[in-house]
Amino acid sequence: MALINENYLRLSENYFYTEMDKRINAFCVTHPKANVIQLGTGDVSQPLPPAVVSAMTDALNELSQKDTFRGYGPGQGYKFLREKIVKDYQTHGVSLSTEEVFVSDGAKTDAANIGHIFGRDNIIAITDPVYPVYENATIMSGRAGYHNENGKWSNIVYLNCLAENGFKPVIPSEKIDVIYLCYPNNPTGTVLTRQELKVWVDYALENHSLIIYDGAYEAYITEKDVPHSIYEIKGAKKVAVEIRSFSKTAGFTGLRCSYTIVPKDLIAFTSEGEKVQLNRLWMRRQTTCFNGNSYIVQRGAEAVFSKEGRKQVNETVQYYLTNAGIIRDELRNLGFEVYGGVNSPYVWAKTKNGEESWSFFQRMLCEINVVSTPGVGFGPNGEGYTRFSGFNSRENTMEAVERMKNWR
Ligand code: MLT
């Protein structure tokens, strides 16, 4: 008799974004003429940078010739790409070796799968609100405990991020072993300064904890005092894994390419207290469970670091940031309390008169055909908030904002 992983039965029926899509699709089926504008999920709208397209075309041509054809690539990613990533870190004063870089097919993939190399008894901490993958993956792995009536899991430590603390987590009194941090933050669009991030690195160093630092939105940082990498903080290589993505910068949401840094200095412990290098474990995991991203995609990702690639990507990032700024300013004019949108493509807004997140979502969808993401989908503290993304086109963003102006 085949048995299932019963932890899956403890998850909600649908992944949050699937649930949202279901509701949007249901509306579109019953209102086929409605021109629905998506300021919801963080999917990008602008085409691939020309430098990426040209590199991928060349790579495809190579694969079509007998002499230059390639089959399986290295599980850790091609060295040509890992070298570019290492060089890119140097621009922020961070020195890494190519053996510390693991190319993958998505930040989401690695944020969820990294749990494979950790013991089941770790206490995991996540922020509330949070990108739902960290909590869902913790539930699937059987580390979450039981579900309380307050919507939280007994073995997860929730780091409250509220308006009164600027949506920034504070060190909890409970013991934590593994902490997920995402900055610039999805969903709130807020950031941690160098000093604020140092507090977490120091905590992890003192307590032998590990930080999984999701830096998928790093390219959106505009302010000086905000670190681009956790490794800019002294000692972080001993306590942090960092995940980055090409999705939101170079339009790879469909192509898929990301990378995770697992420094050689990073160690965790066996139950006997023996030190083990996590780089070794992740290498073993990846080369067993993953055959690497495609050659074509990795050549495309490499082109992101070329002179033209950087310029083109930077233009796209500025474009999305301008959209976020338009949304933020207009929401503010309309009397909403807003956060984010300065170092992030996301704008986090409090609904008016305590309206619940799903009610706001449904009303805005039905009345002006605009979609934002209900804050409660990111955790109980997100109730009464909604998230707008700057990833749509300028025209659609302007049109959505115009509709909001005339909406009551
Ligand atoms: C989001 O809308 O939060 C993102 O698109 C999620 C993701 O990158 O998986």
Side-chain angles (χ1 to χ4, degrees):
M1 184 171 64
L3 301 176
I4 59 156
N5 174 353
E6 291 188 25
N7 294 310
Y8 277 67
L9 302 180
R10 308 162 82 204
L11 294 162
S12 54
E13 179 67 20
N14 291 315
Y15 179 55
F16 171 47
Y17 294 111
T18 315
E19 177 60 34
M20 226 172 95
D21 285 346
K22 268 179 83 172
R23 297 190 193 205
I24 299 164
N25 291 340
F27 177 80
C28 290
V29 166
T30 49
H31 301 81
K33 293 210 175 106
N35 170 19
V36 174
I37 300 181
Q38 262 281 11
L39 303 182
T41 39
D43 197 3
V44 294
S45 59
Q46 299 308 294
L48 293 169
V52 169
V53 176
S54 150
M56 289 202 303
T57 309
D58 290 348
L60 177 61
N61 285 334
E62 275 183 60
L63 297 188
S64 66
Q65 304 295 319
K66 199 161 184 282
D67 293 347
T68 47
F69 172 76
R70 295 176 190 235
Y72 289 127
Q76 194 175 356
Y78 283 101
K79 203 157 180 202
F80 60 75
L81 176 54
R82 288 184 287 125
E83 279 170 352
K84 295 290 175 351
I85 292 167
V86 164
K87 273 208 175 129
D88 185 55
Y89 268 98
Q90 283 167 3
T91 62
H92 294 293
V94 174
S95 136
L96 294 171
S97 79
T98 51
E99 286 97 65
E100 296 175 306
V101 181
F102 293 80
V103 176
S104 179
D105 66 358
K108 180 186 197 171
T109 315
D110 285 1
N113 288 340
I114 194 87
H116 282 201
I117 62 169
F118 300 128
R120 235 208 66 164
D121 293 334
N122 282 304
I123 300 293
I124 313 282
I126 58 173
T127 59
D128 174 15
V130 74
Y131 177 44
V133 172
Y134 316 148
E135 189 188 54
N136 281 210
T138 305
I139 300 166
M140 288 168 168
S141 68
R143 295 189 181 100
Y146 57 86
H147 202 210
N148 295 321
E149 62 284 355
N150 62 8
K152 299 191 170 180
W153 293 82
S154 60
N155 285 352
I156 297 181
V157 173
Y158 291 86
L159 309 168
N160 282 322
C161 293
L162 305 166
E164 48 265 38
N165 59 19
F167 292 102
K168 296 180 189 203
V170 290
I171 303 281
S173 49
E174 301 97 319
K175 159 190 151 60
I176 46 180
D177 302 307
V178 178
I179 312 147
Y180 277 99
L181 292 177
C182 170
Y183 286 98
N185 187 255
N186 180 12
T188 63
T190 54
V191 286
L192 293 184
T193 63
R194 212 167 294 277
Q195 192 49 39
E196 287 163 341
L197 186 55
K198 182 178 180 313
V199 171
W200 284 97
V201 171
D202 290 348
Y203 171 86
L205 284 165
E206 235 167 74
N207 295 279
H208 299 299
S209 318
L210 185 124
I211 301 172
I212 300 169
Y213 195 73
D214 184 345
Y217 300 92
E218 166 272 328
Y220 289 83
I221 294 172
T222 58
E223 290 178 323
K224 265 220 152 68
D225 197 27
V226 179
H228 284 254
S229 163
I230 193 166
Y231 305 123
E232 290 175 43
I233 312 293
K234 194 162 172 251
K237 279 198 201 165
K238 294 196 173 115
V239 292
V241 163
E242 180 162 286
I243 303 173
R244 284 190 181 177
S245 167
F246 294 94
S247 286
K248 317 294 166 138
T249 48
F252 276 51
T253 51
L255 272 184
R256 313 304 304 153
C257 197
S258 65
Y259 50 98
T260 289
I261 309 299
V262 188
K264 292 255 174 96
D265 288 350
L266 184 60
I267 50 137
F269 300 85
T270 65
S271 49
E272 309 282 285
E274 189 195 332
K275 292 179 177 175
V276 179
Q277 223 185 21
L278 286 180
N279 181 284
R280 180 160 74 78
L281 298 195
W282 189 241
M283 176 65 137
R284 187 69 178 82
R285 193 266 170 207
Q286 287 302 79
T287 45
T288 306
C289 304
F290 183 56
N291 256 341
N293 218 337
S294 83
Y295 177 67
I296 299 173
V297 165
Q298 290 189 61
R299 279 293 185 200
E302 181 194 24
V304 166
F305 298 106
S306 66
K307 198 165 164 235
E308 315 76 65
R310 278 182 195 281
K311 186 170 166 285
Q312 292 158 5
V313 165
N314 189 38
E315 278 164 12
T316 313
V317 166
Q318 292 310 318
Y319 178 89
Y320 294 138
L321 271 174
T322 304
N323 285 350
I326 291 169
I327 298 168
R328 188 190 60 226
D329 292 349
E330 196 49 52
L331 285 170
R332 217 166 250 163
N333 285 343
L334 294 170
F336 286 90
E337 199 178 304
V338 292
Y339 304 85
V342 174
N343 296 288
S344 162
Y346 295 128
V347 179
W348 183 244
K350 193 171 181 353
T351 62
K352 289 187 191 165
N353 308 316
E355 182 171 9
E356 290 190 344
S357 301
W358 276 116
S359 156
F360 181 88
F361 166 87
Q362 204 65 36
R363 224 165 42 79
M364 193 164 68
L365 172 62
C366 296
E367 293 173 13
I368 56 168
N369 308 156
V370 174
V371 175
S372 66
T373 307
V376 72
F378 299 104
N381 285 340
E383 182 55 286
Y385 286 87
T386 193
R387 190 199 72 181
F388 290 87
S389 107
F391 285 123
N392 212 317
S393 64
R394 180 67 40 77
E395 303 70 44
N396 282 344
T397 303
M398 301 291 280
E399 166 67 21
V401 157
E402 211 45 47
R403 290 186 200 172
M404 281 191 262
K405 273 189 204 164
N406 303 314
W407 183 45
R408 45 193 76 246

